[in-house]
Amino acid sequence: MMNETDEMREARHELELLSANDPAASANMLRHVAAYNLLIAGRRGTEWLGDEPVINAGFRLLGGDENLYAAVTRRAEREHLHIAFDVDDASGPAIGFGLFRVEDDHVVCYGRCLLWSPSNDGRALIVPVGEDKADVQGYFAFRRGQPLRKVGKPLPGDLMAGLRRARSRLNTLLQSDDLTDRGSGGFMTTFRNEGQEVFAEIRRAA
């Protein structure tokens, strides 16, 4: 967002908080958190083990929010996977998925990530891509109790087929009664203004 004033930023954050507190929107966002956790880690992810990454839902990072999110990642000493939603359609599909992690003492944001599923129903891999989906430079794999493993090798299968499998499995999970009828739990990211200061907050949602 270009040339966002303090007043515009505060209004945007207030709108995000209102959206996050809407029952239908928050239920949808937390269903996505649970589904992503099931695909990546094999469980819902209402808690994390050891140094595992946190997967959470929030909104598109604008106007310096990315820097605040990076600061949270550094302070927590833990990778963060951010599922982004449109504040005007938080009951709809996610619009983005990114990874924040510390590399060589710098917080790096992989802002365009996709899920890739193997043909054996194993855990999904996290694939950073460029503007061209075919521009893939390695991937990240989940490890129980540990940070993600960065792999600088080709995917263990066809790129597009694995992306299609991941989308299909994600849609199946999102529509399942298990995630729709029960509280999914998980984590959500919100930003709040206090005067001239802005704070990022990752909180557990029931």
Side-chain angles (χ1 to χ4, degrees):
M1 184 175 293
M2 298 296 292
N3 301 320
E4 185 180 41
T5 66
D6 290 344
E7 291 76 14
M8 291 167 62
R9 181 184 60 185
E10 185 171 355
R12 176 170 58 80
H13 287 160
E14 288 179 358
L15 179 61
E16 290 174 353
L17 284 170
L18 284 172
S19 185
N21 288 321
D22 175 75
S26 62
N28 175 62
M29 295 167 77
L30 291 174
R31 274 198 306 275
H32 278 75
V33 173
Y36 273 68
N37 267 294
L38 285 166
L39 284 172
I40 295 170
R43 63 178 191 275
R44 285 176 175 269
T46 51
E47 301 289 343
W48 61 77
L49 304 175
D51 294 323
E52 291 176 0
V54 176
I55 303 177
N56 65 90
F59 298 100
R60 188 196 308 268
L61 300 176
L62 300 168
D65 292 347
E66 183 177 303
N67 294 331
L68 291 172
Y69 200 98
V72 169
T73 300
R74 181 182 291 280
R75 187 165 57 248
E77 299 182 335
R78 185 182 300 276
E79 296 160 325
H80 285 78
L81 289 158
H82 182 72
I83 309 168
F85 291 82
D86 184 340
V87 69
D88 293 318
D89 187 23
S91 296
I95 59 172
F97 179 50
L99 165 63
F100 287 76
R101 71 194 307 258
V102 177
E103 295 182 2
D104 298 327
D105 202 37
H106 297 285
V107 178
V108 179
C109 172
Y110 295 86
R112 289 189 179 95
C113 290
L114 299 172
L115 294 182
W116 186 94
S117 285
S119 58
N120 64 359
D121 288 336
R123 289 174 179 162
L125 303 176
I126 300 159
V127 183
V129 299
E131 291 189 22
D132 176 3
K133 262 188 194 179
D135 180 18
V136 174
Q137 304 292 326
Y139 58 90
F140 294 92
F142 178 84
R143 299 183 295 177
R144 184 178 176 87
Q146 300 180 56
L148 296 170
R149 179 167 63 97
K150 186 177 184 180
V151 181
K153 297 180 180 179
L155 286 160
D158 182 75
L159 170 65
M160 300 311 295
L163 296 180
R164 287 193 296 269
R165 283 191 295 268
R167 283 195 299 270
S168 176
R169 290 169 183 168
L170 178 64
N171 289 335
T172 298
L173 285 170
L174 290 172
Q175 295 167 17
S176 70
D177 292 340
D178 188 46
L179 294 191
T180 301
D181 296 340
R182 295 169 52 191
S184 298
F187 295 86
M188 294 184 69
T189 303
T190 54
F191 295 87
R192 58 186 173 82
N193 294 71
E194 291 185 5
Q196 297 297 311
E197 298 294 323
V198 183
F199 299 90
E201 187 174 72
I202 296 178
R203 56 190 172 90
R204 182 182 287 107

